[in-house]
Amino acid sequence: EADIYQTPRYLVIGTGKKITLECSQTMGHDKMYWYQQDPGMELHLIHYSYGVNSTEKGDLSSESTVSRIRTEHFPLTLESARPSHTSQYLCASSHRGSSEKLFFGSGTQLSVL
Amino acid sequence: TQLLEQSPQFLSIQEGENLTVYCNSSSVFSSLQWYRQEPGEGPVLLVTVVTGGEVKKLKRLTFQFGDARKDSSLHITAAQPGDTGLYLCAGLRDSSYKLIFGSGTRLLVRP
């Protein structure tokens, strides 16, 4: 069973607020990822990290930022949330050399009013 | 342009029926994965196929990787309501270390 946790599960906030979505894994995985997913749709990679102090933007442009100060922690921040940011955000991790077998968290469903 | 096309997009069947979903591309992948995602949860890895022509079985699920490593299929025998979910294929290209996800097939198995 995967040990990757996301908080909060659900978040409803007003426009302009700053938010941080938390993601932690206890598997010691080097690689971590953030995906954005609209209901029933494909996943779009927005950020990834191959290790501490390493972060890269994904294929889908996003106004969010990430940090990787500790191996187990990969938070995502939106400085000023907008309704267009409403979506599900999924965090994942994988072990180096594992052919990218991803373990996903349960996701954060974000609604910006 | 979607690099990995999945079909059908939506499938509603009766319990006990068989079904096949497809994942197609014009690109070659070094490996291909299948995930199942239930509502409100993250995707869970079902299988990884890495060799052209490879067939893997997981109980009632049979996965096949095309000979040219451009496509894959998932066949479910005697579907059960517990099989309901979003099935996602994801491919890894030789030139990249990032997975590319397909558009998904939403399966509903009615009791």
Side-chain angles (χ1 to χ4, degrees):
Chain A
E1 186 170 320
D3 295 316
I4 179 164
Y5 308 100
Q6 288 187 245
T7 57
R9 286 294 305 271
Y10 304 94
L11 181 60
V12 181
I13 60 168
T15 298
K17 300 290 187 183
K18 177 181 178 179
I19 61 165
T20 297
L21 308 184
E22 302 288 349
C23 177
S24 295
Q25 51 95 5
T26 59
M27 298 172 282
H29 286 170
D30 298 311
K31 301 177 185 178
M32 295 189 74
Y33 310 81
W34 277 102
Y35 287 88
Q36 188 172 336
Q37 183 186 32
D38 291 325
M41 302 295 287
E42 66 265 39
L43 279 68
H44 293 287
L45 181 67
I46 51 175
H47 298 283
Y48 63 98
S49 167
Y50 285 165
V52 171
N53 294 325
S54 155
T55 61
E56 301 286 344
K57 288 192 177 292
D59 303 318
L60 181 68
S61 176
S62 174
E63 294 165 346
S64 58
T65 59
V66 292
S67 62
R68 189 91 182 274
I69 298 173
R70 304 197 314 265
T71 298
E72 62 271 21
H73 196 212
F74 192 40
L76 180 145
T77 298
L78 272 168
E79 290 292 332
S80 179
R82 295 206 300 270
S84 61
H85 296 138
T86 294
S87 188
Q88 171 153 272
Y89 292 84
L90 288 161
C91 180
S93 71
S94 68
H95 184 63
R96 189 184 299 274
S98 66
S99 298
E100 305 305 311
K101 296 176 185 177
L102 300 183
F103 294 90
F104 283 88
S106 297
T108 293
Q109 180 61 51
L110 173 65
S111 295
V112 184
L113 306 178
Chain B
T1 302
Q2 185 69 32
L3 195 60
L4 273 172
E5 296 282 352
Q6 289 188 243
S7 60
Q9 286 186 300
F10 180 76
L11 188 57
S12 177
I13 62 170
Q14 202 70 36
E15 181 177 2
E17 292 182 2
N18 302 333
L19 67 115
T20 302
V21 298
Y22 300 93
C23 176
N24 296 306
S25 177
S26 56
S27 298
V28 175
F29 291 95
S30 58
S31 66
L32 201 135
Q33 302 172 8
W34 284 91
Y35 292 82
R36 180 170 65 213
Q37 184 178 21
E38 297 184 12
E41 297 295 330
V44 175
L45 180 66
L46 296 174
V47 77
T48 301
V49 286
V50 297
T51 305
E54 181 177 3
V55 177
K56 279 191 174 179
K57 291 195 173 186
L58 186 67
K59 297 183 179 178
R60 294 177 294 99
L61 278 60
T62 301
F63 304 85
Q64 186 163 8
F65 201 12
D67 291 340
R69 293 186 291 136
K70 293 182 178 180
D71 52 80
S72 180
S73 64
L74 158 59
H75 181 79
I76 301 179
T77 303
Q80 299 176 1
D83 296 327
T84 292
L86 178 68
Y87 288 81
L88 294 158
C89 65
L92 189 65
R93 289 191 290 182
D94 288 333
S95 59
S96 171
Y97 293 103
K98 292 179 289 182
L99 273 179
I100 298 169
F101 278 86
S103 48
T105 292
R106 182 165 295 281
L107 172 65
L108 173 64
V109 182
R110 306 184 306 274

